[in-house]
Amino acid sequence: MTKSQTNTGKLDRLLEEQRQYIAQREKGYREKALKLYPWICGRCAREFDRRGLSELTVHHVNHDHDYNPPDGSNWELLCIYCHDEEHSKFEAFVRYGGGADSRREAATFNPFAGLKDAMNNKK
């Protein structure tokens, strides 16, 4: 056996161990989250039944996959699409920084501001 074959075998073994570790860890908190929360996406409100349950994921609110309190306070059920979007937003936040510099002021326009007076003058 050559050195590269040995390294490849070792790498495959390490990757398989990592996959098993992630699957085992995920099974624990996923099962708990599915018992705690209704099977509805927390963003788009899509409802799931047992057939489509594989498309419902457990999102860690603080993005720490090792922080799994038993009360589920760090979990949120999201469909795979909303989960991907949430992680994309987080990656953009990490890469480009927060939006504190681009904070917008609240809208102050009130389209019904003069409606009461207009209706009183009509009488």
Side-chain angles (χ1 to χ4, degrees), residues 14-113:
L14 287 172
L15 287 173
E16 183 57 32
E17 288 174 5
Q18 183 66 24
R19 282 188 202 102
Q20 288 175 355
Y21 168 74
I22 290 170
Q24 185 64 30
R25 181 182 66 180
E26 188 176 78
K27 184 178 181 186
Y29 67 75
R30 178 175 169 75
E31 294 301 319
K32 290 177 187 175
L34 290 174
K35 287 178 184 175
L36 282 173
Y37 298 112
W39 296 351
I40 299 171
C41 175
R43 304 290 174 183
C44 68
R46 179 177 162 198
E47 295 184 27
F48 290 84
D49 58 11
R50 195 160 294 282
R51 285 181 314 204
L53 199 56
S54 62
E55 294 182 10
L56 189 62
T57 63
V58 178
H59 172 65
H60 288 81
V61 176
N62 71 354
H63 297 277
D64 181 1
H65 291 230
D66 292 322
Y67 179 60
N68 295 303
D71 66 350
S73 58
N74 190 36
W75 303 329
E76 176 180 37
L77 294 180
L78 299 177
C79 71
I80 56 175
Y81 307 108
C82 292
H83 195 198
D84 285 347
E85 176 65 21
E86 188 63 29
H87 278 275
S88 296
K89 288 192 297 188
F90 181 70
E91 289 171 12
F93 174 78
V94 169
R95 181 173 292 146
Y96 304 115
D101 299 334
S102 61
R103 183 180 298 171
R104 292 184 186 174
E105 293 298 320
T108 57
F109 177 71
N110 183 354
F112 303 109

